[in-house]
Amino acid sequence: MPNPNYNKYKKIRNSAMGTAIINLIAKGESTSDFNASYYEHDGGELTTDLSKHPGTKPGLAKSTAFGRYKFTKDTWDDAAKALGLKDMSPENQDIAAVWLADQQGAVAEFEKGNIDKGVYKLGTKWASLPKNEKGET
């Protein structure tokens, strides 16, 4: 039986709002090539194996940030457990990003039309986005 959380976040991801959320996050966290960024380590190196989170990439100061949204290993493991994810496919990365945005309270703010507040809530998890109206990251 499919994970109900997975289906909930897939539906949000497939909406116009969900697409806007993931593209906003990816704009700051990824290179300009959004397709390649699903395979990208922090620092720009690419990996072809998306069967699992790759963990630390040698030579990258022990960073575990990986994928279009630069999930750390711990964050990815939390999302994978909550959503029943078996790999880091592009679709699963998108759905996990929407789930994580919701955990920060951003989805609710966007649904209410509070765009600035939604962005600030995303900024509490993704360093490339502002955390407040002063633009602090």
Side-chain angles (χ1 to χ4, degrees):
M1 171 183 249
N3 182 309
N5 285 328
Y6 179 88
N7 292 331
K8 172 186 175 182
Y9 292 107
K10 182 176 181 176
K11 183 177 180 181
I12 295 170
R13 185 272 170 254
N14 289 336
S15 71
M17 179 188 66
T19 299
I21 289 171
I22 63 173
N23 286 338
L24 175 66
I25 298 165
K27 178 78 172 153
E29 296 293 323
S30 302
T31 64
S32 60
D33 184 348
F34 282 176
N35 291 324
S37 62
Y38 287 106
Y39 303 86
E40 184 180 74
H41 288 271
D42 191 24
E45 284 189 51
L46 300 179
T47 289
T48 57
D49 181 8
L50 296 181
S51 65
K52 63 182 182 189
H53 191 290
T56 304
K57 181 70 177 168
L60 291 179
K62 298 187 180 184
S63 173
T64 63
F66 179 79
R68 189 176 193 217
Y69 311 100
K70 298 301 178 272
F71 291 107
T72 62
K73 175 95 169 71
D74 289 344
T75 299
W76 179 259
D77 289 348
D78 290 345
K81 182 177 179 181
L83 299 167
L85 305 177
K86 304 295 183 208
D87 62 37
M88 286 196 77
S89 67
E91 179 177 278
N92 285 347
Q93 288 184 47
D94 288 351
I95 292 167
V98 172
W99 172 82
L100 190 54
D102 192 41
Q103 301 308 298
Q104 307 310 307
V107 171
E109 293 298 343
F110 287 121
E111 287 175 334
K112 292 187 275 186
N114 298 329
I115 305 304
D116 288 347
K117 286 183 181 180
V119 171
Y120 302 150
K121 295 215 180 241
L122 292 175
T124 64
K125 193 64 177 175
W126 283 280
S128 64
L129 297 170
K131 292 180 185 169
N132 56 43
E133 63 279 351
K134 295 176 186 174
E136 297 171 345
T137 58

